[in-house]
Amino acid sequence: MMKSMRMTALAGLASSAVLCAGAANAVEIEYWQYFYDARVDAMEQLIENFEEANPDITVKMTTFPYADYRTKVAAAIPAGEGPDVVQLFYGWLNDYIEAGLIQPLPEEAFPADQIDEAFFPMVQAMKRDGQYYALPTAVRSLALFYNERLFEEAGIDGPPETLDELVEDAKKLTKKDGAGNITQVGLTTGMTAQDHHWFREVLIRQFGGEPYLDDYRTVNYNNEAGLKALEFYTDLEKTHEVTSSSFMDEPQAAFKAGRAGMHIDGSFRVGSLADMRGLKWGVAELPVGPDGTASNYSSYWVNAITSKAEGEEYDAAVKFMEYITSDEAMQIWLEVVGELPAKPSVGLTEENANDPVYGPFIRGLENAHTTIFANESAQRQVLMDMVARTDIQGMPLEESLAIAAEEEQKAPPLPLRRSSHPRPSP
Amino acid sequence: MPFYRNLSIRQKQIAWAWAFLAVPVLFYVIIRFYPTGNAIMISFQNWNLLGDRTWAGLENYQKLVADPVFWKVFKNTFLYLIIGTPISLVLSFIIAYQLDKVRFMHGTLRMLYFLPFMTSAVAMAWVWRWFYQPVPTGLFNNLLAQVGISQIEFLNSTSYALPSVLAPAVWAGLGFQIIIFMAGLRAIPVSYYEAARIDGVGWWTVLTQITIPLLRPTIVFIVVFSSIGFLRIFDHVYNMTTNNPGGPLNSTKPLVLMIYGTAFDDFDMGYAAAQTVVLFLILLIVSLIQLRLLRSE
């Protein structure tokens, strides 16, 4: 009896010694992202799994409201108080590299040539001089949502595959009252929503153009391709009368209310549509262009190691980066947040690529482009005004397109600390 | 405290007066004057909220003068003022004049007119935004469609959007102006009216010779107050055009919304501060002119 008690005491001592040793070696790293319920849930799961596999590392997650996030990160890192691993919007990368806020990912753990192959091609935008600076866990893309009930009612058997079919189907889906007012649109439109991405990266390319040149520094749509794309877009309302940009205030509201046959939107819309009772909807890939060109727009948030991480913290940060860009992490992110895996090896598995909801988004990633914005809201405003000038003021398309191209070229870049790099003029 | 003891009673009173005054004076200096001075200084600098401030001289003001959007916005701001102030003044006077004579349910009616003033501008702007929608959601256009008139693009038009945004702003301000007018009407001595009645003067003469001249201080107050309100209009415009703030094509954008966009979307603090200084000067000049014009001889 005595002996066994002594044994327990010894065992207790031994285990507390182990604990002490563990605490001495423990590294704590900090991770920052903006606050969004599902993203925080997913990251908590990832951190739990990571800490289980690496008991000597703890990860502390801090979140901020989306509106303050950009300024918080920029102010904290140079002061040495920020995170070791940080989540950034892909469009901010240049600013962060120039301001010296993040460091390149180590070549041993993240060899550039392997990443080129393992990730969807648009992720290469995160590479500078052959070195990756940041990697996404998940990505987003566009697809065509369609209302299955309205399709059935109009006698259409499947979603449109080409732009011509899109127009034909939209005509069948449009309803008007006795006075000719549209009461149901075939396709929602509105540059205020996702259409400015659809126009830039999809329509212009499908009509044979290339929206920007010189690493997105030079606007390149004031030409025949741009004009054809704008003509197609404005004809939807003016000639075919299958849509109205001000219909029901917002495109997604019209689709949710069952007053729109088709609606182009991002994968992030899936969650809010899933909650709509009585709405039967499906998802299809964006229609291809006249010559069969498929294109898509993708945006994503990336994770990067900040310049604050050094020594032990740096090693721990690299390990954490490896885990949150792994296949396992991507699958968890898809299931919890509903954002698409950034690697074909996860995205294009039989199950994911054929998923009736996520499949079309994931397949769209193969030919997706990511616009590098100088100032996204200013550039969106330019396209909004371009359509408004033709619509409200009756300006000829060529003239409005030329003004838009000129204005977008001048869009003021968003400043971040001292690093401002004005767009070179064409 | 020998120093304090040697003071005369009058000096002691002054010292105490200043001691009590120090709180509001300090408050005003820190909360009002310091930021105002700082804003004027920033208007001569370049600053993106995070980096260092650098001197820009008159650059921001030169940019302002050369910016076509600024002149468009300048014009809009004065349109809000020139259309909004007279309409709301006349409407509120007519309502207050009639309401003053009504005895039946006087309190309830007055409350009903005051209600919009207490309602949140954001909620009100959104309700009106939906009223203005095209068929099938908009109330006004549905009514028009029912009687067979073609739809009006209230908000998606460069000519109708500004009056459409202004209408709920006028309506929201009416309640307050009516209450002030009614107080002004009650303050006019009854003896004037009695004298007029004895002389057998008509209502029009009573209105133009007694009521309106004696309401002058009230009118001055309401004109100045509502002018400043319309020059600073923001929440109605922003909430009725959130998809395209101040649009379409800047046709509804007031100066305050431009300042907001420059400061918090583009982070161009110097340029935004220059716009703010211009707004401040406009407010100052308009108020001074109105005070001078309406001051009794």
Side-chain angles (χ1 to χ4, degrees):
Chain A
M1 181 69 192
M2 249 341 248
K3 198 174 179 185
S4 76
M5 263 186 83
R6 202 176 297 150
M7 280 298 283
T8 350
L10 257 173
L13 269 174
S15 65
S16 62
V18 168
L19 271 177
C20 284
N25 292 334
V27 183
E28 189 186 80
I29 57 170
E30 207 170 319
Y31 177 76
W32 280 17
Q33 69 166 337
Y34 70 90
F35 184 82
Y36 185 84
D37 263 329
R39 303 175 79 89
V40 175
D41 286 350
M43 190 43 77
E44 270 166 4
Q45 277 190 39
L46 295 187
I47 290 175
E48 204 175 299
N49 293 349
F50 176 74
E51 285 177 348
E52 222 163 83
N54 300 279
D56 55 331
I57 304 175
T58 47
V59 182
K60 188 181 147 208
M61 174 167 59
T62 309
T63 58
F64 295 95
Y66 179 75
D68 305 339
Y69 187 68
R70 189 181 162 98
T71 37
K72 277 269 172 19
V73 174
I77 298 173
E81 289 184 359
D84 301 286
V85 179
V86 66
Q87 196 172 71
L88 312 167
F89 191 59
Y90 77 92
W92 302 349
L93 190 82
N94 274 339
D95 295 341
Y96 277 76
I97 293 174
E98 269 186 41
L101 299 180
I102 55 175
Q103 43 183 322
L105 301 174
E107 182 71 26
E108 314 85 68
F110 299 92
D113 49 335
Q114 278 178 34
I115 289 173
D116 286 350
E117 257 172 44
F119 282 75
F120 279 109
M122 71 266 172
V123 174
Q124 288 171 22
M126 298 299 103
K127 194 163 63 171
R128 293 289 176 282
D129 304 324
Q131 265 184 314
Y132 274 92
Y133 274 79
L135 282 175
T137 303
V139 292
R140 305 149 165 190
S141 64
L142 299 178
L144 182 78
F145 289 86
Y146 61 98
N147 187 317
E148 287 178 350
R149 281 223 176 95
L150 299 182
F151 265 60
E152 213 168 289
E153 202 184 288
I156 308 169
D157 27 270
E161 284 170 13
T162 64
L163 290 180
D164 288 339
E165 285 177 31
L166 178 80
V167 173
E168 290 315 308
D169 289 351
K171 281 181 186 164
K172 289 180 199 153
L173 290 160
T174 307
K175 280 186 194 161
K176 291 180 184 171
D177 65 7
N181 298 319
I182 292 184
T183 54
Q184 176 178 306
V185 292
L187 170 74
T188 61
T189 47
M191 283 289 177
T192 52
Q194 298 299 312
D195 281 6
H196 72 111
H197 297 307
W198 185 44
F199 179 78
R200 272 194 194 92
E201 295 293 3
V202 184
L203 289 179
I204 290 177
R205 288 179 194 277
Q206 288 179 335
F207 285 96
E210 168 110 41
Y212 302 89
L213 294 176
D214 189 21
D215 221 8
Y216 284 90
R217 283 196 194 90
T218 309
V219 176
N220 184 43
Y221 55 69
N222 185 18
N223 49 33
E224 208 195 322
L227 188 62
K228 274 191 192 156
L230 180 60
E231 204 169 7
F232 173 83
Y233 187 78
T234 50
D235 273 354
L236 290 171
E237 184 163 347
K238 292 285 157 205
T239 311
H240 307 305
E241 294 179 10
V242 296
T243 186
S244 164
S245 62
S246 54
F247 187 74
M248 291 191 75
D249 206 20
E250 276 181 74
Q252 53 99 6
F255 188 78
K256 273 188 189 165
R259 293 273 193 167
M262 296 176 279
H263 172 60
I264 290 172
D265 214 328
S267 32
F268 41 81
R269 189 67 65 199
V270 169
S272 69
L273 284 176
D275 298 337
M276 293 302 292
R277 259 193 226 168
L279 186 71
K280 260 183 76 190
W281 50 274
V283 187
E285 280 177 72
L286 293 181
V288 298
D291 61 351
T293 308
S295 185
N296 207 314
Y297 163 76
S298 170
S299 67
Y300 46 93
W301 286 74
V302 290
N303 294 298
I305 300 176
T306 68
S307 48
K308 180 204 153 200
E310 280 168 4
E312 275 185 323
E313 275 95 14
Y314 177 78
D315 297 336
V318 171
K319 273 192 192 157
F320 187 58
M321 274 294 296
E322 279 178 305
Y323 179 65
I324 58 179
T325 53
S326 66
D327 291 14
E328 183 188 322
M330 286 180 191
Q331 189 65 35
I332 291 175
W333 203 267
L334 174 69
E335 280 156 18
V336 179
V337 187
E339 285 188 317
L340 319 170
K343 280 183 194 169
S345 60
V346 194
L348 297 178
T349 59
E350 196 76 17
E351 203 194 334
N352 286 342
N354 291 324
D355 185 285
V357 175
Y358 293 112
F361 289 104
I362 294 173
R363 293 196 298 273
L365 288 173
E366 285 181 285
N367 33 50
H369 300 270
T370 42
T371 319
I372 299 173
F373 289 104
N375 181 340
E376 184 174 344
S377 68
Q379 287 172 264
R380 184 184 72 139
Q381 186 72 46
V382 166
L383 294 195
M384 265 153 52
D385 289 351
M386 173 179 76
V387 173
R389 279 190 300 267
T390 65
D391 178 24
I392 303 174
Q393 299 183 323
M395 186 185 276
L397 299 183
E398 295 86 346
E399 203 180 321
S400 191
L401 185 73
I403 297 174
E406 193 187 326
E407 278 182 358
E408 186 167 353
Q409 187 67 54
K410 285 190 301 196
L414 272 185
L416 183 135
R417 300 188 50 74
R418 259 151 283 171
S419 77
S420 63
H421 37 98
R423 291 164 156 260
S425 39
Chain B
M1 292 267 281
F3 171 73
Y4 180 72
R5 230 172 282 141
N6 292 338
L7 292 176
S8 71
I9 290 200
R10 193 171 154 67
Q11 282 167 329
K12 277 182 190 166
Q13 278 173 342
I14 290 171
W16 276 107
W18 275 109
F20 284 113
L21 271 178
V23 179
V25 166
L26 263 181
F27 178 80
Y28 256 80
V29 168
I30 295 168
I31 303 291
R32 297 265 173 175
F33 300 144
Y34 169 71
T36 309
N38 214 347
I40 293 172
M41 201 165 79
I42 294 171
S43 75
F44 295 102
Q45 293 172 328
N46 284 326
W47 187 37
N48 64 23
L49 201 62
L50 293 168
D52 294 330
R53 299 184 188 180
T54 51
W55 285 102
L58 287 173
E59 200 182 286
N60 287 323
Y61 290 93
Q62 283 160 352
K63 191 166 148 195
L64 201 63
V65 176
D67 188 348
V69 177
F70 171 73
W71 291 109
K72 172 83 190 154
V73 163
F74 193 80
K75 193 181 132 204
N76 291 340
T77 309
F78 275 91
L79 279 177
Y80 283 117
L81 170 77
I82 292 164
I83 304 173
T85 307
I87 289 180
S88 65
L89 188 76
V90 170
L91 274 181
S92 60
F93 177 74
I94 292 172
I95 294 168
Y97 188 72
Q98 301 302 332
L99 203 57
D100 193 46
K101 294 178 175 166
V102 173
R103 288 285 154 268
F104 176 70
M105 299 229 302
H106 178 86
T108 317
L109 283 172
R110 203 171 50 179
M111 187 269 289
L112 284 178
Y113 278 108
F114 196 63
L115 214 54
F117 183 71
M118 300 194 296
T119 312
S120 142
V122 177
M124 203 187 317
W126 275 87
V127 170
W128 279 76
R129 174 181 175 156
W130 289 324
F131 284 170
Y132 284 138
Q133 290 302 311
V135 173
T137 32
L139 179 75
F140 297 149
N141 274 322
N142 271 330
L143 290 176
L144 288 178
Q146 262 167 18
V147 294
I149 301 174
S150 63
Q151 292 196 65
I152 298 176
E153 291 263 23
F154 288 102
L155 294 175
N156 189 29
S157 150
T158 43
S159 38
Y160 299 134
L162 191 138
S164 302
V165 170
L166 185 59
V170 169
W171 178 60
L174 276 188
F176 177 75
Q177 301 185 5
I178 289 168
I179 296 292
I180 302 290
F181 261 129
M182 286 180 69
L185 285 170
R186 289 285 160 92
I188 299 173
V190 189
S191 52
Y192 290 123
Y193 291 114
E194 280 167 354
R197 215 179 309 144
I198 291 164
D199 289 345
V201 174
W203 71 272
W204 177 251
T205 319
V206 172
L207 178 68
T208 50
Q209 300 300 318
I210 299 175
T211 312
I212 291 178
L214 287 172
L215 271 179
R216 195 167 200 145
T218 314
I219 295 173
V220 172
F221 173 75
I222 289 177
V223 167
V224 171
F225 199 82
S226 77
S227 301
I228 293 175
F230 285 118
L231 285 173
R232 293 192 317 186
I233 191 167
F234 173 81
D235 26 16
H236 284 94
V237 189
Y238 186 71
N239 285 291
M240 289 177 80
T241 61
T242 42
N243 290 339
N244 181 1
L249 298 172
N250 296 321
S251 61
T252 59
K253 191 179 271 183
L255 198 44
V256 182
L257 188 51
M258 188 183 179
I259 294 170
Y260 177 83
T262 312
F264 302 112
D265 289 334
D266 297 339
F267 297 104
D268 194 348
M269 294 297 155
Y271 191 35
Q275 292 163 12
T276 313
V277 171
V278 170
L279 177 66
F280 171 74
L281 291 177
I282 294 173
L283 287 171
L284 190 72
I285 293 167
V286 168
S287 307
L288 287 177
I289 291 174
Q290 285 172 343
L291 283 173
R292 174 68 47 94
L293 283 180
L294 293 165
R295 190 181 292 156
S296 48
E297 294 79 37

